[in-house]
């Protein structure tokens, strides 16, 4: 699991815990509650991945979903059902005051911005969402963020040619 995925799952878990706490305190059981987290910044460093560092660098992460807190048996913790998606967004542009070293050469955002002005480079948006992830269980259990698997599955990584 990547550091960005871990951060995104943490964002979703924060919202799930918040909703669980509020529903339990209000005894608002068996009513689905939607959430949308605020966007949170995350920086992909070269130590995490050269490819993702150069492709994206700083990104924004968010989570949306639905949480249902189920009425507990006497003396037990409430159980929850949560379905959520993780989202990423980045506007790749050249700020002018940053630079990075590529193969021993310092490449500045100012130089890349000049290429954009000349029509030889383009700024772009990156946006994506995970598949729906599902958690069912005791409200005190740590969620893993493992996605729900579709029947017939397309499990495997992007590098898996059988996917």
């Amino acid at each position: 699991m990547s550091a960005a995925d871990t951060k995104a799952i943490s964002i979703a878990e924060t919202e799930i815990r918040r909703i669980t706490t509020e529903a339990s305190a209000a005894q608002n059981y068996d009513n689905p509650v939607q959430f949308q987290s605020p966007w949170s910044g995350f920086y992909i460093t070269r130590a995490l991945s050269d490819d993702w560092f150069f492709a994206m660098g700083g990104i924004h992460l968010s989570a949306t979903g639905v949480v249902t807190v189920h009425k507990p048996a006497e003396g037990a913790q409430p159980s929850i059902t949560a379905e959520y998606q993780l989202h990423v967004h980045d506007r790749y542009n050249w700020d002018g005051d940053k630079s990075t070293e590529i193969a021993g050469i310092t490449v500045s955002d100012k130089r890349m911005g000049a290429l954009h002005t000349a029509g030889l480079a383009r700024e772009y948006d990156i946006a994506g969402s995970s598949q729906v992830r599902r958690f069912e269980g005791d409200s005190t259990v740590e969620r893993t963020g493992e996605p729900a698997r579709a029947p017939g599955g397309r499990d495997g990584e992007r590098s898996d040619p059988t996917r």
Side-chain angles (χ1 to χ4, degrees), residues 40-125:
S40 179
F42 181 82
Y43 195 76
I44 302 169
T45 63
R46 290 184 84 167
L48 291 173
S49 168
D50 271 348
D51 289 341
W52 288 110
F53 168 76
F54 289 122
M56 297 175 77
I59 60 175
H60 288 89
L61 301 167
S62 180
T64 57
V66 177
V67 179
T68 304
V69 180
H70 304 285
K71 187 174 183 174
E74 189 66 37
Q77 291 291 324
S79 64
I80 63 171
T81 303
E83 290 186 343
Y84 61 97
Q85 283 186 287
L86 308 174
H87 311 282
V88 62
H89 180 265
D90 182 33
R91 171 77 177 154
Y92 200 93
N93 57 4
W94 297 282
D95 300 323
D97 59 347
K98 296 186 296 185
S99 64
T100 192
E101 187 176 308
I102 303 172
I105 300 170
T106 300
V107 179
S108 70
D109 274 14
K110 185 174 184 178
R111 173 175 269 172
M112 293 302 293
L115 290 174
H116 173 77
T117 301
L120 300 173
R122 292 183 57 180
E123 297 177 346
Y124 55 92
D125 289 307

